[in-house]
Amino acid sequence: MKFVAVAATLVAAAAVLPLAYLLVRAAGADADAWDVVLDARTLELVGRTALLVALVTAGATVVGVGLAWLVERTDMPGRRIFSVAAALPLVIPSYVSALALLAAVGPGGLFGGGTWIFGLPGATLALVMATYPYVFLLCAAALRRMDPALEEAARTLGRSRAAVFRQVTLPVLRPSIGGGAVLVALYSLSDFGVVSLMRYDALTRAVFNQYRSLFDRTPAALLGLVLVLLTALVLVVEARSRGAGRVSRSAAGADRPAALVPLGRWRLPATLMAGGAVAFALLVPVGVLLGWSLRDAADHPELGELLGWAGSSLLGSGLAAVVAMAAALPVAILAARRPGRWTSFLERATYASNALPGIVIALSLVFFATRVLDSVYQTLALLVFAYVVRFLPQALAGAHSALVRVDPDLERAARGLGASPAGVLRRVTAPLMAPGLLAGATLVFLSTMKELPVTLLLRPIGFDTLATEVWTATGVSAYGTAAIPALTLIVLSAPVVWTLQVRPRGEPRAQPR
Amino acid sequence: MKRSLLALLAVAACGAVAAGCGDDDDGGSGSGSGDPLTIYSGRNEKLVGDLMKQFERETGVKVQVRYGESAELAATLAEEGDSARADVFFAQDAGALGAVAEAGLLAPVPASAEKVDARFRTANWVGTSGRARVVAYSTERLKPSQLPDSILDFCDDRWKGKIGFPPPNASFQAFISAMRLGLGDARTREWLECMEDLDPELLENNIQTEEAIADGEIDVGFVNHYYLPELKAENPDFPVGNHFLKAGDPGSLVNVAGAGILKTTDQAEDAEKFVDFLLSESGQRYFSEKTFEYPLVDGIPAPAETRPLEDVHGPEIDLGALGEKLPSTLKLLQDVGLTS
């Protein structure tokens, strides 16, 4: 456990680097800089940001939990296709889905539409589309791992299906819903692309305005700290909503897939609703991208170039997923197995950077790398490190929600039977956590595939990814040219989601023996 | 679990093979001659990528370019400080150059800068191409003859609900700073308040503004002149036109994109060659023909469908002075309620 504690502390220290940077920059604040922040307007921005975050979190939770339950627990037709398709909107850069949404239902859009979309409605809609997969992936993993006997017992005891869902399924899902909802909230706090395209004034727009107009890093840092405070608030709300009960299995449990709930006459409406949600989040952007790519003026990249960008994207995202998973494990184990003030502080600390706009994370690592370890600056190693710092909470949400369901008695029994702590981790804990860990790794992989601000500033020169190419082309309004790398992002991510999400369902489950 | 992990690693390894050839041509040690010249470019690769290749062909100097947003690259240069990786900063606007110059990171400009009119350069950076402020209008709903020839005349109820502009955009802010220098703060505030009363559509950037006109949200927008040719290249039927205001009008400010050499460069000679090249005939022709911007060196024809630079010049203002005005301009825009 000592080793785990040391590793967890190191991981947390890395994750708070951007926060340390903000404090360094904020320390130099003069009266003018404070004026920018201590303004009635900042309070208004905080209010507008909080409203957006609350709406997006609520929306994404409903869509994500609903889809996960339909896909994992019912006889809805096309469940396997849904389980991949419903996760894919996560790889569409949110500014691309916002652009597509505008092209579809904005003023002058394909399906009519109008100016209603600007402001809160459009920002909420685009962000729900972009973020519900966080909740979906984590809840689907939890449902797959859940002991079907719990629901069966409740049914046998005479509870209706609705009551079982409310009294058994939802409480078991709670850690996954909470973890997913936090990711959704933090994403909405940090996003700049959607709020700027949808013309909704949120805090990140103010942070960007400070950098873009004034080239002044101090007021931007102070506003960044306001975002960190909001992050803390989100985490406190999530912690408060955690019940006292435990959700781990107390016995080995039945190791078989749960019986599917027949939807009966609800089958058609449920399928239509799920199909509608996925169509909106995935097919609208894909359709608009295809339309753009077919325009006459579209200038398409050569296959060789495209393969190079795809290779860079896969390399960076694959490494980020593996490293983030390894980094999340000790933090999750410590927080779940040695609960206490210090360990829960460590766990929360790793979330500190997640609500910060990518530009802040990138600048913080420029600051530390050039001062402390100049040789890694602008190398792939630092880029992957930056991805991990930015997306660690996503790996952690997966690991944590999986770990709380693993019964500590199993680990103790294995220890009692003579296994070493490392052996227990390898042969008992890790296999039982596998779906959650993989869900976390999938989240990190997909988020990194579309990552832009950190990639632009920290990549080795010439390390062009699909996301940077989409940015380059949209920068000159060459949407037809942007469509090809954007579609490639989606196409490449599909088999990864398939491998990590769908295939494990069919495999025999790892058993502690 | 194991198998999936292996799959993930295999995916990464495939990527490594595919990308590997791309990253190894330079170790990036950043010292010694023979290294490529490193340029931080706030200008889009689609716009200046071919220009970089042309420079390599004409001079034999190899370049490596980090593309990004001008403001973010300026912030990066400021954080890098003495360990700057760039030899040249090639920026989209004078503001970003001014910020890096103010941080004391830029060396004096080479002698070739003197070819450029003094109002488009300072001691540490030089403008390489010009962009004029224009009024973009809907060619479906308006005729050019219906448009006033001064930006001040848009303060009229006839335009209520029909105007849009991007207050967060650097060029828009420069235009307001120029108006303050030309007309004074009181008249500028009056005009801005009048605009606010007309219930304008507030947009994020120039492209959004052009698209809002095309989509029928607004009839006119205050933007830079070269976005329209870009959008027309993507869609020849784009229903928007550029209206140039009269010479000397605050609404027809000419701003620049430009370049500066980093003080910390160890390739000063190649860096100067690059700036010389941007100001050479082939560099200036490139801007005129490929990016539809104004050449800033005499004798090079202006892009098609624009007015000559002499006729669009705004108030006689030193671009270096706009930077100092920026904080108070932002404050003014906030006070009037045009930015948050």
Side-chain angles (χ1 to χ4, degrees), chain A residues 157-174:
Chain A
L157 291 171
R159 289 283 193 274
S160 71
R161 282 198 203 286
V164 171
F165 183 78
R166 211 174 53 246
Q167 294 170 351
V168 180
T169 317
L170 269 186
V172 174
L173 281 184
R174 222 225 54 91

Side-chain angles (χ1 to χ4, degrees), chain A residues 367-385:
Chain A
F367 177 86
F368 285 112
T370 52
R371 278 163 184 75
V372 182
L373 201 61
D374 198 52
S375 59
V376 300
Y377 183 49
Q378 297 187 357
T379 62
L380 183 61
L382 185 69
L383 181 63
V384 171
F385 180 80

Side-chain angles (χ1 to χ4, degrees), chain B residues 150-178:
Chain B
S150 167
I151 197 83
L152 301 175
D153 295 339
F154 280 94
C155 174
D156 184 323
D157 278 343
R158 175 159 97 82
W159 299 105
K160 196 167 180 88
K162 293 182 177 167
I163 294 182
F165 45 85
N169 177 263
S171 306
F172 181 83
Q173 292 161 0
F175 144 60
I176 299 299
S177 297

Side-chain angles (χ1 to χ4, degrees), chain B residues 293-315:
Chain B
E293 291 170 288
Y294 285 102
L296 295 181
V297 173
D298 283 344
I300 317 288
E305 291 180 52
T306 57
R307 275 194 202 169
L309 192 55
E310 307 83 82
D311 296 342
V312 293
H313 75 83

Side-chain angles (χ1 to χ4, degrees), chain A residues 12 18 28 38 50 62 139 169 174 181 185 207 211 271 273 376-377 430 444 471:
Chain A
L38 298 176
V62 170
C139 287
T169 317
R174 222 225 54 91
V207 174
Y211 282 122
T271 313
M273 265 167 59
V376 300
Y377 183 49
V444 176
W471 165 81

Side-chain angles (χ1 to χ4, degrees), chain A residues 129-434:
Chain A
M129 278 163 65
T131 57
Y132 82 80
Y134 290 125
V135 180
F136 168 76
L137 280 171
L138 292 175
C139 287
L143 282 170
R144 223 172 294 144
R145 201 68 220 160
M146 184 177 162
D147 186 349
L150 289 175
E151 287 165 321
E152 287 160 13
R155 284 288 282 155
T156 325
L157 291 171
R159 289 283 193 274
S160 71
R161 282 198 203 286
V164 171
F165 183 78
R166 211 174 53 246
Q167 294 170 351
V168 180
T169 317
L170 269 186
V172 174
L173 281 184
R174 222 225 54 91
S176 310
I177 298 175
V182 166
L183 295 180
V184 171
L186 298 186
Y187 187 98
S188 326
L189 275 176
S190 73
D191 178 83
F192 172 71
V194 168
V195 293
S196 68
L197 281 166
M198 293 298 178
R199 309 177 200 170
Y200 184 75
D201 260 327
L203 262 174
T204 44
R205 265 184 106 178
V207 174
F208 269 81
N209 277 343
Q210 291 301 324
Y211 282 122
R212 292 223 161 129
S213 316
L214 283 176
F215 308 98
D216 194 345
R217 289 160 293 159
T218 308
L222 293 173
L223 288 168
L225 288 174
V226 176
L227 276 172
V228 174
L229 284 181
L230 284 176
T231 309
L233 193 69
V234 167
L235 293 175
V236 168
V237 169
E238 198 268 340
R240 283 277 158 81
S241 75
R242 276 183 201 176
R246 55 174 222 163
V247 291
S248 62
R249 295 182 185 191
S250 53
D255 193 39
R256 58 191 157 74
L260 298 179
V261 175
L263 288 169
R265 64 196 161 90
W266 290 103
R267 205 158 178 240
L268 187 66
T271 313
L272 285 179
M273 265 167 59
V278 174
F280 203 68
L282 184 65
L283 296 188
V284 165
V286 168
V288 170
L289 287 171
L290 278 174
W292 281 340
S293 73
L294 295 175
R295 277 194 204 160
D296 301 338
D299 169 23
H300 295 312
E302 286 163 28
L303 185 65
E305 282 180 308
L306 195 63
L307 287 177
W309 303 333
S312 302
S313 286
L314 288 174
L315 177 65
S317 310
L319 288 174
V322 173
V323 177
M325 195 158 71
L329 200 54
V331 181
I333 290 176
L334 202 66
R337 291 292 177 261
R338 292 280 185 282
R341 282 217 177 148
W342 170 243
T343 54
S344 81
F345 173 77
L346 270 189
E347 190 201 2
R348 301 290 154 72
T350 58
Y351 283 80
S353 309
N354 201 235
L356 292 173
I359 173 77
V360 175
I361 293 171
L363 287 177
S364 72
L365 292 177
V366 172
F367 177 86
F368 285 112
T370 52
R371 278 163 184 75
V372 182
L373 201 61
D374 198 52
S375 59
V376 300
Y377 183 49
Q378 297 187 357
T379 62
L380 183 61
L382 185 69
L383 181 63
V384 171
F385 180 80
Y387 288 150
V388 173
V389 167
R390 184 159 193 212
F391 297 128
L392 188 62
Q394 303 185 355
L396 201 59
H400 186 91
S401 60
L403 193 60
V404 291
R405 257 184 304 278
V406 178
D407 187 349
D409 284 342
L410 287 176
E411 295 170 346
R412 276 180 222 125
R415 283 288 280 148
L417 292 170
S420 66
V424 174
L425 178 58
R426 202 179 69 244
R427 292 171 55 198
V428 180
T429 318
L432 285 171
M433 287 173 70

